[in-house]
Amino acid sequence: MTGIESETRSAQPRAIRVEPVRTPEELEIVYQIRREVFDQEQHLTTWVHDYPEDGAGLNVLAWIDGEAVGTGRVTLWGDEAQIAWVAVRKPYRGQGVGRAIMERLIRWAEEQGARTVTLNAQTHAREFYRKLGFRPIGRPFSMAHIEHQFMERELHPVQTKGGQ
């Protein structure tokens, strides 16, 4: 996960839309943002596409004024969800994009009946995730030279009409 809200907030808030990825072209935009943030900027990994989970969970794109500015993915494993690949393009950090992406991913996980959601946060973003209700589990660890922290949040699954 990248330093999503690290820069100062913009004086003029702009409308952020977070939408599910629906087309192969939109998935390519997801890969472009991953490449920009996790490969070119952070040198974390060059493998940013063709993950099997990309077809199994929910990928989203965040949009401002028609431009894709961030992305994230949530995958469901039984009643547990895992968030990954949250990235915001550098010029748009500190404007609420990361929060909007996270809120959409968490809401989807709850709608699917997940009871918990986990993620591997870059340690510089721990406070951002704490504000979203995540708590650290265990010790920090290194992933491709960047320190990470496993974090978890309890969810409140949405009840279906049948009470399930």
Side-chain angles (χ1 to χ4, degrees), residues 7-163:
E7 296 180 12
T8 57
R9 295 205 172 270
S10 168
Q12 196 73 308
R14 296 172 6 178
I16 303 164
R17 272 188 14 255
V18 179
E19 302 288 339
V21 169
R22 292 188 169 93
T23 66
E25 293 79 17
E26 289 176 339
L27 192 56
E28 280 303 314
I29 296 170
V30 166
Y31 298 151
Q32 289 171 6
I33 294 171
R34 287 181 186 175
R35 188 173 302 106
E36 183 179 317
V37 173
F38 295 112
D39 177 14
Q40 297 166 356
E41 182 184 333
Q42 296 182 346
H43 310 290
L44 182 67
T45 183
T46 57
W47 188 30
V48 296
H49 57 82
D50 294 331
Y51 280 85
E53 294 88 353
D54 283 336
L58 173 71
N59 280 283
V60 297
L61 282 167
W63 302 86
I64 294 178
D65 298 332
E67 183 175 353
V69 299
T71 188
R73 182 187 74 208
V74 61
T75 308
L76 198 62
W77 306 100
D79 65 353
E80 296 179 10
Q82 182 181 41
I83 291 176
W85 293 109
V86 176
V88 175
R89 288 182 159 152
K90 205 172 207 173
Y92 296 93
R93 295 182 191 155
Q95 298 180 35
V97 176
R99 174 173 284 282
I101 290 169
M102 288 297 297
E103 288 172 351
R104 180 65 182 96
L105 296 176
I106 291 166
R107 186 172 68 246
W108 184 85
E110 287 178 325
E111 290 168 353
Q112 303 308 305
R115 298 190 182 284
T116 61
V117 62
T118 62
L119 53 81
N120 291 318
Q122 291 182 11
T123 54
H124 65 83
R126 273 187 295 216
E127 188 58 27
F128 169 77
Y129 293 111
R130 276 193 184 119
K131 289 177 181 176
L132 287 166
F134 286 84
R135 63 183 178 88
I137 306 288
R139 295 182 180 163
F141 61 95
S142 182
M143 184 187 312
H145 76 275
I146 295 177
E147 192 174 68
H148 285 72
Q149 174 71 56
F150 182 73
M151 299 184 84
E152 179 181 62
R153 174 182 160 165
E154 298 295 320
L155 297 178
H156 305 286
V158 175
Q159 296 295 315
T160 62
K161 289 181 183 176

